[in-house]
Amino acid sequence: MTHRHRLAARRRHETIAIEHEGQKYKVGLGREMVCDGSCGGSVRFGPIAEVFISAQKVNTQADVLAKDGAILMSLALQYGCPPDVIAHAMKRNPDGSPASPLGRAAAYLVEEKV
């Protein structure tokens, strides 16, 4: 079994707002701080290692499914699955756009070249 990268207790978190099929979602992205050399050196932020998704209407089916999917995406990232593999595995609409809010989040990971 592959080893899961456990995240540090403190990390950077950024939030983006997306809309998918008329529903509004907030996507939270967590990155670990990486210290170059000793901790007295420069600090940069590593790749996105966790994803949170919340629908505008809390505790609806859309909200629950988005949150559960984000947990699975986070685990995949922490086990070393590349973001482009995750994004490629997501269902697409006939025009090639992501078919779900989770797919939109995965596409964002690739677009940002995390």
Side-chain angles (χ1 to χ4, degrees), residues 3-9 11 32 49 75 78-79:
H3 177 71
R4 176 180 172 203
H5 174 72
R6 297 239 178 227
L7 302 178
R11 49 198 172 272
E32 284 193 293
L75 287 170
Q78 292 166 25
Y79 273 99

Side-chain angles (χ1 to χ4, degrees), residues 57-104:
K57 296 180 182 177
V58 181
N59 292 327
T60 61
Q61 187 69 10
D63 184 54
V64 171
L65 290 172
K67 285 179 175 160
D68 281 353
I71 291 167
L72 292 173
M73 184 184 292
S74 296
L75 287 170
L77 290 168
Q78 292 166 25
Y79 273 99
C81 187
D84 61 327
V85 172
I86 295 171
H88 182 74
M90 297 286 167
K91 183 155 176 57
R92 299 265 173 194
N93 292 321
D95 67 358
S97 64
S100 70
L102 193 62
R104 292 274 312 271

Side-chain angles (χ1 to χ4, degrees), residues 21-85:
E21 295 187 8
Q23 297 284 330
K24 294 180 181 180
Y25 296 87
K26 293 220 187 254
V27 179
L29 306 167
R31 300 174 189 261
E32 284 193 293
M33 291 187 287
V34 179
C35 186
D36 295 331
S38 67
C39 285
S42 64
V43 175
R44 62 182 173 81
F45 295 102
I48 293 171
E50 64 183 348
V51 179
F52 302 93
I53 302 178
S54 297
Q56 183 177 11
K57 296 180 182 177
V58 181
N59 292 327
T60 61
Q61 187 69 10
D63 184 54
V64 171
L65 290 172
K67 285 179 175 160
D68 281 353
I71 291 167
L72 292 173
M73 184 184 292
S74 296
L75 287 170
L77 290 168
Q78 292 166 25
Y79 273 99
C81 187
D84 61 327
V85 172

